[in-house]
Structure formats: structure tokens, C-alpha cells
CSV table of all heavy atoms in Angstrom, one decimal:
chain,number,residue,atom,x,y,z
A,186,MET,N,52.7,131.7,137.0
A,186,MET,CA,51.8,130.9,136.0
A,186,MET,C,50.3,131.2,136.4
A,186,MET,O,50.0,131.2,137.5
A,186,MET,CB,52.1,129.4,136.2
A,186,MET,CG,51.5,128.6,135.1
A,186,MET,SD,51.9,126.9,135.3
A,186,MET,CE,50.4,126.3,136.1
A,187,LYS,N,49.6,131.3,135.3
A,187,LYS,CA,48.1,131.6,135.5
A,187,LYS,C,47.4,130.3,135.7
A,187,LYS,O,47.6,129.3,135.0
A,187,LYS,CB,47.7,132.3,134.2
A,187,LYS,CG,46.2,132.6,134.1
A,187,LYS,CD,45.9,133.3,132.8
A,187,LYS,CE,45.8,132.3,131.7
A,187,LYS,NZ,45.1,132.8,130.5
A,188,VAL,N,46.5,130.3,136.7
A,188,VAL,CA,45.6,129.1,136.9
A,188,VAL,C,44.2,129.6,136.7
A,188,VAL,O,43.7,130.4,137.3
A,188,VAL,CB,45.8,128.6,138.4
A,188,VAL,CG1,44.9,127.4,138.6
A,188,VAL,CG2,47.2,128.3,138.7
A,189,ASP,N,43.6,128.9,135.7
A,189,ASP,CA,42.2,129.4,135.3
A,189,ASP,C,41.2,128.3,135.0
A,189,ASP,O,40.2,128.5,134.5
A,189,ASP,CB,42.2,130.4,134.2
A,189,ASP,CG,42.7,129.7,132.9
A,189,ASP,OD1,43.1,128.5,132.9
A,189,ASP,OD2,42.6,130.3,131.8
A,190,ARG,N,41.7,127.0,135.4
A,190,ARG,CA,40.8,125.9,135.0
A,190,ARG,C,41.0,124.7,135.9
A,190,ARG,O,42.1,124.5,136.5
A,190,ARG,CB,40.9,125.5,133.6
A,190,ARG,CG,42.3,124.9,133.2
A,190,ARG,CD,42.5,124.9,131.7
A,190,ARG,NE,42.2,126.2,131.1
A,190,ARG,CZ,41.2,126.4,130.2
A,190,ARG,NH1,40.4,125.4,129.8
A,190,ARG,NH2,41.0,127.6,129.7
A,191,CYS,N,40.0,123.8,135.9
A,191,CYS,CA,40.2,122.4,136.4
A,191,CYS,C,40.7,121.6,135.2
A,191,CYS,O,40.0,121.4,134.2
A,191,CYS,CB,38.9,121.8,136.9
A,191,CYS,SG,39.0,120.1,137.3
A,192,ILE,N,42.0,121.3,135.3
A,192,ILE,CA,42.7,120.6,134.1
A,192,ILE,C,42.0,119.2,133.9
A,192,ILE,O,41.8,118.8,132.8
A,192,ILE,CB,44.2,120.5,134.4
A,192,ILE,CG1,44.8,121.9,134.4
A,192,ILE,CG2,44.8,119.6,133.3
A,192,ILE,CD1,46.2,121.9,135.0
A,193,CYS,N,41.8,118.5,135.0
A,193,CYS,CA,41.3,117.1,134.8
A,193,CYS,C,39.9,117.1,134.1
A,193,CYS,O,39.7,116.1,133.3
A,193,CYS,CB,41.1,116.5,136.2
A,193,CYS,SG,42.7,116.3,137.1
A,194,HIS,N,39.1,118.1,134.3
A,194,HIS,CA,37.8,118.1,133.7
A,194,HIS,C,37.8,119.0,132.4
A,194,HIS,O,36.8,119.1,131.8
A,194,HIS,CB,36.7,118.6,134.6
A,194,HIS,CG,36.4,117.5,135.7
A,194,HIS,ND1,35.3,116.7,135.5
A,194,HIS,CD2,37.0,117.1,136.8
A,194,HIS,CE1,35.2,115.9,136.6
A,194,HIS,NE2,36.2,116.1,137.4
A,195,ASN,N,38.9,119.7,132.2
A,195,ASN,CA,39.1,120.6,131.1
A,195,ASN,C,37.9,121.6,131.0
A,195,ASN,O,37.2,121.8,130.0
A,195,ASN,CB,39.2,119.8,129.7
A,195,ASN,CG,39.6,120.7,128.6
A,195,ASN,OD1,40.3,121.7,128.8
A,195,ASN,ND2,39.2,120.4,127.4
A,196,ILE,N,37.8,122.3,132.2
A,196,ILE,CA,36.7,123.3,132.2
A,196,ILE,C,37.3,124.5,133.0
A,196,ILE,O,38.0,124.4,134.0
A,196,ILE,CB,35.5,122.8,132.9
A,196,ILE,CG1,34.3,123.8,132.9
A,196,ILE,CG2,35.7,122.3,134.3
A,196,ILE,CD1,33.0,123.3,133.3
A,197,SER,N,37.1,125.7,132.4
A,197,SER,CA,37.6,126.9,133.0
A,197,SER,C,36.8,127.3,134.2
A,197,SER,O,35.6,127.0,134.4
A,197,SER,CB,37.7,128.1,132.0
A,197,SER,OG,36.4,128.5,131.7
A,198,PHE,N,37.5,128.1,135.1
A,198,PHE,CA,36.8,128.6,136.3
A,198,PHE,C,35.6,129.5,135.9
A,198,PHE,O,34.6,129.6,136.5
A,198,PHE,CB,37.7,129.3,137.3
A,198,PHE,CG,38.8,128.4,137.8
A,198,PHE,CD1,40.1,128.9,138.1
A,198,PHE,CD2,38.6,127.1,138.1
A,198,PHE,CE1,41.1,128.1,138.6
A,198,PHE,CE2,39.6,126.2,138.6
A,198,PHE,CZ,40.8,126.8,138.9
A,199,SER,N,35.8,130.2,134.8
A,199,SER,CA,34.7,131.1,134.3
A,199,SER,C,33.5,130.3,133.8
A,199,SER,O,32.4,130.7,134.1
A,199,SER,CB,35.2,132.2,133.3
A,199,SER,OG,35.5,131.5,132.1
A,200,GLN,N,33.8,129.2,133.2
A,200,GLN,CA,32.7,128.3,132.8
A,200,GLN,C,32.0,127.7,134.1
A,200,GLN,O,30.8,127.6,134.1
A,200,GLN,CB,33.2,127.1,131.9
A,200,GLN,CG,33.6,127.5,130.5
A,200,GLN,CD,34.2,126.4,129.8
A,200,GLN,OE1,35.4,126.0,130.1
A,200,GLN,NE2,33.5,125.8,128.9
A,201,ILE,N,32.8,127.3,135.0
A,201,ILE,CA,32.2,126.8,136.3
A,201,ILE,C,31.4,127.8,137.0
A,201,ILE,O,30.3,127.5,137.5
A,201,ILE,CB,33.4,126.3,137.2
A,201,ILE,CG1,34.1,125.1,136.6
A,201,ILE,CG2,32.8,125.9,138.6
A,201,ILE,CD1,35.4,124.7,137.3
A,202,LYS,N,31.9,129.1,137.0
A,202,LYS,CA,31.2,130.2,137.6
A,202,LYS,C,29.8,130.3,137.0
A,202,LYS,O,28.8,130.6,137.7
A,202,LYS,CB,32.0,131.5,137.5
A,202,LYS,CG,31.4,132.6,138.2
A,202,LYS,CD,32.3,133.8,138.1
A,202,LYS,CE,31.6,135.0,138.7
A,202,LYS,NZ,32.4,136.2,138.5
A,203,LYS,N,29.7,130.3,135.7
A,203,LYS,CA,28.4,130.4,135.0
A,203,LYS,C,27.5,129.3,135.4
A,203,LYS,O,26.3,129.5,135.6
A,203,LYS,CB,28.6,130.3,133.5
A,203,LYS,CG,29.2,131.6,132.9
A,203,LYS,CD,29.3,131.6,131.4
A,203,LYS,CE,30.0,132.9,130.9
A,203,LYS,NZ,30.9,132.6,129.8
A,204,ILE,N,28.0,128.1,135.6
A,204,ILE,CA,27.2,126.9,136.0
A,204,ILE,C,26.7,127.2,137.4
A,204,ILE,O,25.5,127.0,137.8
A,204,ILE,CB,27.9,125.6,135.9
A,204,ILE,CG1,28.2,125.3,134.4
A,204,ILE,CG2,27.2,124.5,136.6
A,204,ILE,CD1,29.2,124.2,134.2
A,205,VAL,N,27.6,127.6,138.3
A,205,VAL,CA,27.3,127.9,139.7
A,205,VAL,C,26.1,129.0,139.8
A,205,VAL,O,25.2,128.8,140.5
A,205,VAL,CB,28.5,128.5,140.4
A,205,VAL,CG1,28.1,129.1,141.8
A,205,VAL,CG2,29.5,127.3,140.7
A,206,GLU,N,26.2,130.0,138.9
A,206,GLU,CA,25.2,131.0,139.0
A,206,GLU,C,23.9,130.5,138.4
A,206,GLU,O,22.8,130.8,139.0
A,206,GLU,CB,25.7,132.3,138.2
A,206,GLU,CG,26.8,133.0,138.9
A,206,GLU,CD,27.5,134.0,138.0
A,206,GLU,OE1,27.3,134.1,136.8
A,206,GLU,OE2,28.4,134.7,138.6
A,207,ALA,N,23.9,129.8,137.3
A,207,ALA,CA,22.7,129.3,136.7
A,207,ALA,C,22.0,128.3,137.6
A,207,ALA,O,20.7,128.3,137.6
A,207,ALA,CB,23.0,128.7,135.3
A,208,ARG,N,22.7,127.5,138.3
A,208,ARG,CA,22.1,126.4,139.1
A,208,ARG,C,22.0,126.7,140.5
A,208,ARG,O,21.6,125.9,141.3
A,208,ARG,CB,22.8,125.1,138.8
A,208,ARG,CG,22.7,124.7,137.3
A,208,ARG,CD,23.6,123.7,136.9
A,208,ARG,NE,23.1,122.4,137.2
A,208,ARG,CZ,23.6,121.2,136.8
A,208,ARG,NH1,24.6,121.2,136.0
A,208,ARG,NH2,23.1,120.1,137.2
A,209,LYS,N,22.5,128.0,140.9
A,209,LYS,CA,22.4,128.4,142.3
A,209,LYS,C,23.2,127.5,143.2
A,209,LYS,O,22.7,127.2,144.3
A,209,LYS,CB,21.0,128.7,142.7
A,209,LYS,CG,20.2,129.6,141.8
A,209,LYS,CD,19.0,130.2,142.5
A,209,LYS,CE,18.1,131.0,141.6
A,209,LYS,NZ,18.8,131.9,140.7
A,210,PHE,N,24.3,127.0,142.8
A,210,PHE,CA,25.2,126.2,143.6
A,210,PHE,C,25.9,127.1,144.6
A,210,PHE,O,26.2,128.3,144.3
A,210,PHE,CB,26.2,125.5,142.8
A,210,PHE,CG,25.7,124.3,142.0
A,210,PHE,CD1,26.5,123.7,141.1
A,210,PHE,CD2,24.4,123.8,142.2
A,210,PHE,CE1,26.1,122.6,140.3
A,210,PHE,CE2,24.0,122.7,141.5
A,210,PHE,CZ,24.8,122.1,140.5
A,211,SER,N,26.2,126.6,145.8
A,211,SER,CA,27.0,127.4,146.7
A,211,SER,C,28.2,126.7,147.3
A,211,SER,O,28.9,127.2,148.1
A,211,SER,CB,26.1,127.8,147.9
A,211,SER,OG,25.6,126.7,148.5
A,212,SER,N,28.4,125.4,146.9
A,212,SER,CA,29.6,124.7,147.4
A,212,SER,C,30.2,123.8,146.4
A,212,SER,O,29.7,123.5,145.3
A,212,SER,CB,29.1,123.8,148.5
A,212,SER,OG,28.4,122.7,148.0
A,213,ILE,N,31.5,123.5,146.7
A,213,ILE,CA,32.2,122.7,145.8
A,213,ILE,C,31.6,121.2,145.7
A,213,ILE,O,31.7,120.5,144.7
A,213,ILE,CB,33.7,122.7,146.2
A,213,ILE,CG1,34.6,122.2,145.0
A,213,ILE,CG2,34.0,121.9,147.4
A,213,ILE,CD1,36.1,122.5,145.1
A,214,ASP,N,31.0,120.8,146.8
A,214,ASP,CA,30.4,119.5,146.9
A,214,ASP,C,29.3,119.4,145.8
A,214,ASP,O,29.1,118.3,145.2
A,214,ASP,CB,29.8,119.2,148.3
A,214,ASP,CG,30.9,119.2,149.3
A,214,ASP,OD1,32.0,118.7,149.0
A,214,ASP,OD2,30.6,119.5,150.5
A,215,GLU,N,28.6,120.4,145.6
A,215,GLU,CA,27.5,120.4,144.6
A,215,GLU,C,28.1,120.2,143.2
A,215,GLU,O,27.6,119.5,142.3
A,215,GLU,CB,26.6,121.6,144.6
A,215,GLU,CG,25.8,121.7,145.9
A,215,GLU,CD,25.2,123.1,146.1
A,215,GLU,OE1,26.0,124.0,146.2
A,215,GLU,OE2,24.0,123.2,146.2
A,216,LEU,N,29.2,120.9,142.9
A,216,LEU,CA,29.9,120.7,141.6
A,216,LEU,C,30.4,119.3,141.5
A,216,LEU,O,30.3,118.7,140.4
A,216,LEU,CB,31.0,121.8,141.6
A,216,LEU,CG,30.6,123.2,141.4
A,216,LEU,CD1,31.8,124.2,141.8
A,216,LEU,CD2,30.1,123.5,140.0
A,217,ARG,N,31.0,118.8,142.5
A,217,ARG,CA,31.5,117.4,142.5
A,217,ARG,C,30.4,116.4,142.2
A,217,ARG,O,30.6,115.4,141.5
A,217,ARG,CB,32.2,117.1,143.8
A,217,ARG,CG,33.6,117.7,143.9
A,217,ARG,CD,34.3,117.1,145.1
A,217,ARG,NE,35.5,117.8,145.4
A,217,ARG,CZ,35.8,118.3,146.6
A,217,ARG,NH1,35.0,118.0,147.6
A,217,ARG,NH2,36.9,119.0,146.8
A,218,ALA,N,29.3,116.6,142.9
A,218,ALA,CA,28.2,115.6,142.8
A,218,ALA,C,27.7,115.6,141.4
A,218,ALA,O,27.2,114.5,140.9
A,218,ALA,CB,27.0,116.1,143.7
A,219,GLU,N,27.8,116.7,140.6
A,219,GLU,CA,27.4,116.7,139.2
A,219,GLU,C,28.6,116.4,138.3
A,219,GLU,O,28.4,116.5,137.1
A,219,GLU,CB,26.8,118.1,138.9
A,219,GLU,CG,25.6,118.5,139.6
A,219,GLU,CD,24.4,117.7,139.3
A,219,GLU,OE1,24.2,117.3,138.1
A,219,GLU,OE2,23.6,117.4,140.2
A,220,ASN,N,29.7,116.0,138.9
A,220,ASN,CA,30.9,115.7,138.1
A,220,ASN,C,31.4,116.8,137.2
A,220,ASN,O,31.8,116.5,136.0
A,220,ASN,CB,30.7,114.4,137.3
A,220,ASN,CG,32.0,113.7,137.0
A,220,ASN,OD1,33.0,113.7,137.7
A,220,ASN,ND2,32.0,113.0,135.8
A,221,ILE,N,31.2,118.0,137.6
A,221,ILE,CA,31.6,119.2,136.8
A,221,ILE,C,33.1,119.5,136.9
A,221,ILE,O,33.7,119.8,135.9
A,221,ILE,CB,30.7,120.4,137.2
A,221,ILE,CG1,29.3,120.1,136.8
A,221,ILE,CG2,31.3,121.7,136.5
A,221,ILE,CD1,28.3,121.0,137.4
A,222,CYS,N,33.6,119.3,138.1
A,222,CYS,CA,35.1,119.6,138.3
A,222,CYS,C,35.5,119.0,139.7
A,222,CYS,O,34.6,118.5,140.5
A,222,CYS,CB,35.3,121.1,138.4
A,222,CYS,SG,34.3,121.9,139.6
A,223,SER,N,36.8,119.0,139.9
A,223,SER,CA,37.3,118.7,141.2
A,223,SER,C,37.0,117.3,141.8
A,223,SER,O,36.9,117.1,142.9
A,223,SER,CB,36.9,119.7,142.2
A,223,SER,OG,37.6,119.6,143.4
A,224,THR,N,37.0,116.3,140.9
A,224,THR,CA,36.8,114.9,141.4
A,224,THR,C,38.0,114.1,141.2
A,224,THR,O,38.0,112.9,141.6
A,224,THR,CB,35.6,114.3,140.6
A,224,THR,OG1,35.9,114.2,139.2
A,224,THR,CG2,34.3,115.0,140.8
A,225,ASN,N,39.1,114.6,140.6
A,225,ASN,CA,40.2,113.7,140.4
A,225,ASN,C,41.4,114.2,141.3
A,225,ASN,O,41.4,113.8,142.4
A,225,ASN,CB,40.6,113.8,138.9
A,225,ASN,CG,41.6,112.8,138.5
A,225,ASN,OD1,41.6,111.7,139.0
A,225,ASN,ND2,42.5,113.1,137.6
A,226,CYS,N,42.4,114.9,140.7
A,226,CYS,CA,43.6,115.3,141.5
A,226,CYS,C,43.3,116.3,142.6
A,226,CYS,O,44.0,116.4,143.6
A,226,CYS,CB,44.7,115.8,140.6
A,226,CYS,SG,44.4,117.5,140.0
A,227,LYS,N,42.2,117.1,142.4
A,227,LYS,CA,41.8,118.1,143.4
A,227,LYS,C,42.8,119.3,143.6
A,227,LYS,O,42.6,120.1,144.5
A,227,LYS,CB,41.4,117.5,144.7
A,227,LYS,CG,40.3,116.5,144.6
A,227,LYS,CD,39.8,116.1,146.0
A,227,LYS,CE,38.5,115.3,145.9
A,227,LYS,NZ,38.6,114.1,145.2
A,228,LEU,N,43.7,119.4,142.7
A,228,LEU,CA,44.6,120.6,142.8
A,228,LEU,C,43.8,121.9,142.5
A,228,LEU,O,44.2,123.0,143.0
A,228,LEU,CB,45.7,120.5,141.7
A,228,LEU,CG,46.9,119.5,142.0
A,228,LEU,CD1,47.8,119.4,140.9
A,228,LEU,CD2,47.6,119.9,143.3
A,229,CYS,N,42.7,121.8,141.9
A,229,CYS,CA,41.9,123.0,141.6
A,229,CYS,C,41.1,123.4,142.8
A,229,CYS,O,40.5,124.5,142.8
A,229,CYS,CB,41.0,122.7,140.4
A,229,CYS,SG,39.9,121.3,140.7
A,230,ASP,N,41.0,122.6,143.8
A,230,ASP,CA,40.1,122.8,145.0
A,230,ASP,C,40.2,124.2,145.6
A,230,ASP,O,39.2,124.9,145.7
A,230,ASP,CB,40.3,121.8,146.1
A,230,ASP,CG,39.4,120.6,145.9
A,230,ASP,OD1,39.1,120.3,144.7
A,230,ASP,OD2,39.0,120.0,146.9
A,231,PRO,N,41.4,124.6,146.0
A,231,PRO,CA,41.6,125.9,146.6
A,231,PRO,C,41.1,127.1,145.7
A,231,PRO,O,40.6,128.1,146.2
A,231,PRO,CB,43.0,126.0,147.0
A,231,PRO,CG,43.7,125.0,146.3
A,231,PRO,CD,42.7,123.9,145.9
A,232,TYR,N,41.4,126.9,144.4
A,232,TYR,CA,41.0,128.0,143.5
A,232,TYR,C,39.5,128.1,143.3
A,232,TYR,O,38.9,129.1,143.3
A,232,TYR,CB,41.7,127.8,142.2
A,232,TYR,CG,43.2,127.7,142.3
A,232,TYR,CD1,43.9,126.5,142.3
A,232,TYR,CD2,43.9,128.9,142.4
A,232,TYR,CE1,45.3,126.4,142.5
A,232,TYR,CE2,45.3,128.8,142.6
A,232,TYR,CZ,46.0,127.6,142.6
A,232,TYR,OH,47.3,127.6,142.8
A,233,ILE,N,38.9,126.9,143.2
A,233,ILE,CA,37.4,126.9,143.1
A,233,ILE,C,36.7,127.4,144.3
A,233,ILE,O,35.8,128.2,144.3
A,233,ILE,CB,36.9,125.5,142.7
A,233,ILE,CG1,37.4,125.1,141.3
A,233,ILE,CG2,35.4,125.4,142.8
A,233,ILE,CD1,37.2,123.7,140.9
A,234,ARG,N,37.3,127.1,145.5
A,234,ARG,CA,36.7,127.6,146.8
A,234,ARG,C,36.8,129.1,146.8
A,234,ARG,O,35.9,129.8,147.2
A,234,ARG,CB,37.4,127.0,148.0
A,234,ARG,CG,37.1,125.5,148.2
A,234,ARG,CD,37.8,125.0,149.4
A,234,ARG,NE,37.8,123.5,149.4
A,234,ARG,CZ,36.8,122.8,149.8
A,234,ARG,NH1,35.7,123.4,150.2
A,234,ARG,NH2,36.8,121.5,149.8
A,235,GLU,N,38.0,129.6,146.3
A,235,GLU,CA,38.2,131.1,146.3
A,235,GLU,C,37.2,131.7,145.3
A,235,GLU,O,36.7,132.8,145.5
A,235,GLU,CB,39.6,131.4,145.9
A,235,GLU,CG,40.0,132.8,146.1
A,235,GLU,CD,40.1,133.3,147.5
A,235,GLU,OE1,39.9,132.5,148.4
A,235,GLU,OE2,40.3,134.5,147.7
A,236,MET,N,37.0,131.1,144.1
A,236,MET,CA,36.1,131.6,143.1
A,236,MET,C,34.7,131.7,143.7
A,236,MET,O,34.0,132.7,143.5
A,236,MET,CB,36.1,130.7,141.9
A,236,MET,CG,35.1,131.1,140.8
A,236,MET,SD,34.6,129.8,139.8
A,236,MET,CE,33.5,128.9,140.9
A,237,LEU,N,34.3,130.7,144.5
A,237,LEU,CA,33.0,130.7,145.1
A,237,LEU,C,32.8,131.8,146.1
A,237,LEU,O,31.7,132.4,146.2
A,237,LEU,CB,32.7,129.3,145.8
A,237,LEU,CG,32.5,128.1,144.9
A,237,LEU,CD1,32.5,126.8,145.7
A,237,LEU,CD2,31.2,128.3,144.1
A,238,LYS,N,33.9,132.2,146.8
A,238,LYS,CA,33.9,133.3,147.7
A,238,LYS,C,33.9,134.6,147.1
A,238,LYS,O,33.2,135.5,147.5
A,238,LYS,CB,35.1,133.1,148.7
A,238,LYS,CG,34.8,132.3,149.9
A,238,LYS,CD,35.9,132.6,151.0
A,238,LYS,CE,36.9,131.4,150.9
A,238,LYS,NZ,38.1,131.6,151.7
A,239,THR,N,34.8,134.8,146.1
A,239,THR,CA,35.1,136.1,145.6
A,239,THR,C,34.6,136.4,144.2
A,239,THR,O,34.6,137.6,143.8
A,239,THR,CB,36.7,136.4,145.6
A,239,THR,OG1,37.2,135.5,144.6
A,239,THR,CG2,37.3,136.1,147.0
A,240,GLY,N,34.4,135.3,143.4
A,240,GLY,CA,34.0,135.5,142.0
A,240,GLY,C,35.1,135.6,141.1
A,240,GLY,O,35.0,135.7,139.9
A,241,GLU,N,36.4,135.6,141.6
A,241,GLU,CA,37.5,135.6,140.7
A,241,GLU,C,37.6,134.3,139.9
A,241,GLU,O,37.3,133.3,140.4
A,241,GLU,CB,38.8,135.7,141.6
A,241,GLU,CG,39.0,137.1,142.2
A,241,GLU,CD,40.3,137.1,143.1
A,241,GLU,OE1,41.4,137.2,142.6
A,241,GLU,OE2,40.1,136.9,144.3
A,242,THR,N,38.1,134.4,138.7
A,242,THR,CA,38.2,133.2,137.9
A,242,THR,C,39.7,133.0,137.3
A,242,THR,O,39.9,132.0,136.7
A,242,THR,CB,37.3,133.3,136.7
A,242,THR,OG1,37.5,134.5,136.0
A,242,THR,CG2,35.8,133.3,137.2
A,243,VAL,N,40.6,133.9,137.6
A,243,VAL,CA,42.0,133.7,137.2
A,243,VAL,C,42.9,134.0,138.4
A,243,VAL,O,42.7,135.0,139.0
A,243,VAL,CB,42.3,134.6,136.0
A,243,VAL,CG1,43.8,134.4,135.6
A,243,VAL,CG2,41.4,134.4,134.8
A,244,PHE,N,43.8,133.1,138.6
A,244,PHE,CA,44.7,133.2,139.8
A,244,PHE,C,46.1,133.0,139.4
A,244,PHE,O,46.4,132.4,138.4
A,244,PHE,CB,44.3,132.1,140.8
A,244,PHE,CG,42.9,132.2,141.2
A,244,PHE,CD1,41.9,131.4,140.6
A,244,PHE,CD2,42.4,133.0,142.3
A,244,PHE,CE1,40.6,131.4,140.9
A,244,PHE,CE2,41.1,133.0,142.7
A,244,PHE,CZ,40.2,132.2,142.0
A,245,GLN,N,47.0,133.5,140.3
A,245,GLN,CA,48.4,133.2,140.1
A,245,GLN,C,48.7,131.9,140.9
A,245,GLN,O,48.2,131.8,142.1
A,245,GLN,CB,49.3,134.4,140.6
A,245,GLN,CG,49.1,135.6,139.8
A,245,GLN,CD,49.5,135.4,138.4
A,245,GLN,OE1,50.5,134.8,138.1
A,245,GLN,NE2,48.7,135.9,137.5
A,246,SER,N,49.5,131.0,140.4
A,246,SER,CA,49.6,129.7,141.0
A,246,SER,C,50.4,129.8,142.4
A,246,SER,O,50.2,129.0,143.2
A,246,SER,CB,50.4,128.7,140.1
A,246,SER,OG,51.7,129.3,139.9
A,247,LYS,N,51.2,130.9,142.6
A,247,LYS,CA,51.9,131.0,143.8
A,247,LYS,C,51.0,131.3,145.0
A,247,LYS,O,51.4,131.1,146.2
A,247,LYS,CB,52.9,132.2,143.7
A,247,LYS,CG,54.1,131.9,142.9
A,247,LYS,CD,55.0,133.1,143.0
A,247,LYS,CE,56.1,133.0,141.9
A,247,LYS,NZ,56.8,134.2,141.7
A,248,ARG,N,49.8,131.8,144.7
A,248,ARG,CA,48.9,132.3,145.7
A,248,ARG,C,48.7,131.3,146.9
A,248,ARG,O,48.5,131.7,148.0
A,248,ARG,CB,47.6,132.7,145.1
A,248,ARG,CG,46.7,133.4,146.0
A,248,ARG,CD,45.5,134.0,145.2
A,248,ARG,NE,44.6,134.6,146.1
A,248,ARG,CZ,43.6,135.4,145.7
A,248,ARG,NH1,43.5,135.6,144.4
A,248,ARG,NH2,42.8,135.9,146.5
A,249,PHE,N,48.6,130.0,146.6
A,249,PHE,CA,48.2,129.1,147.7
A,249,PHE,C,49.4,128.2,148.1
A,249,PHE,O,49.2,127.2,148.8
A,249,PHE,CB,47.0,128.2,147.2
A,249,PHE,CG,45.8,129.0,147.1
A,249,PHE,CD1,45.3,129.4,145.8
A,249,PHE,CD2,45.0,129.3,148.2
A,249,PHE,CE1,44.2,130.2,145.7
A,249,PHE,CE2,43.9,130.1,148.1
A,249,PHE,CZ,43.4,130.5,146.9
A,250,LYS,N,50.6,128.6,147.7
A,250,LYS,CA,51.8,127.8,148.2
A,250,LYS,C,52.0,128.0,149.6
A,250,LYS,O,51.7,129.0,150.2
A,250,LYS,CB,53.0,128.2,147.3
A,250,LYS,CG,53.0,127.5,146.0
A,250,LYS,CD,54.3,127.7,145.3
A,250,LYS,CE,54.2,127.0,143.9
A,250,LYS,NZ,55.3,127.3,143.1
B,12,LIG,S1,42.6,119.9,138.3
B,12,LIG,FE1,40.6,119.7,139.1
B,12,LIG,S2,40.5,117.7,139.7
B,12,LIG,FE2,42.4,117.8,138.8
């Protein structure tokens, strides 16, 4: 299964990446402080952290099992 978004905030990782680049964010804490993603169930956390490291925006769900 493809994982490409924070479901709780209904925002894709590619949209989040654009925000990160425009606002020069470097951490998930900055995204949370702005209530952009990752403030509810946090299942998206490992994927967003990986996106911040590598720039990838689409993942396979098995990857972090
Ligand atoms: S999927 Fe991101 S907080 Fe739930």
C-alpha cells in the first residue's frame, strides 16, 4: 500500500514538502506548531521524518514495520 499523506490533516507529503521548502522548516516540530500535520494519530510521523531527510514523498507502508 502506498503512503503519501497525513490522513488526519488530509495533506499529502508533497504538499508538506512545498511548505517545508517555502518556510525553510527543518523539523517535524515546526510543522506541528503550525498545525500542518502530525498532531493527531501520528502514524505519519516516520514518513514525514524520512521526507525531511531524503525528500521522498511516496512510501510503501511495509517500510517501517
Ligand atoms: S496521519 Fe498524520 S496525524 Fe494521523
Side-chain angles (χ1 to χ4, degrees):
M186 192 179 102
K187 177 178 80 161
V188 180
D189 67 353
R190 66 193 52 245
C191 171
I192 295 164
C193 298
H194 286 262
N195 192 27
I196 184 168
S197 71
F198 297 147
S199 68
Q200 287 173 286
I201 296 169
K202 185 178 173 182
K203 284 184 187 141
I204 293 168
V205 165
E206 289 167 352
R208 297 168 80 170
K209 304 199 186 319
F210 287 168
S211 58
S212 73
I213 200 164
D214 293 331
E215 290 166 301
L216 290 162
R217 285 192 192 127
E219 297 291 326
N220 202 33
I221 292 164
C222 58
S223 192
T224 61
N225 189 37
C226 75
K227 297 188 172 62
L228 284 174
C229 57
D230 271 30
Y232 302 101
I233 292 171
R234 289 180 196 281
E235 189 71 4
M236 180 204 72
L237 289 169
K238 268 195 260 173
T239 68
E241 288 175 83
T242 56
V243 180
F244 304 92
Q245 294 302 313
S246 61
K247 286 183 192 166
R248 187 168 177 169
F249 291 101
K250 280 188 179 172

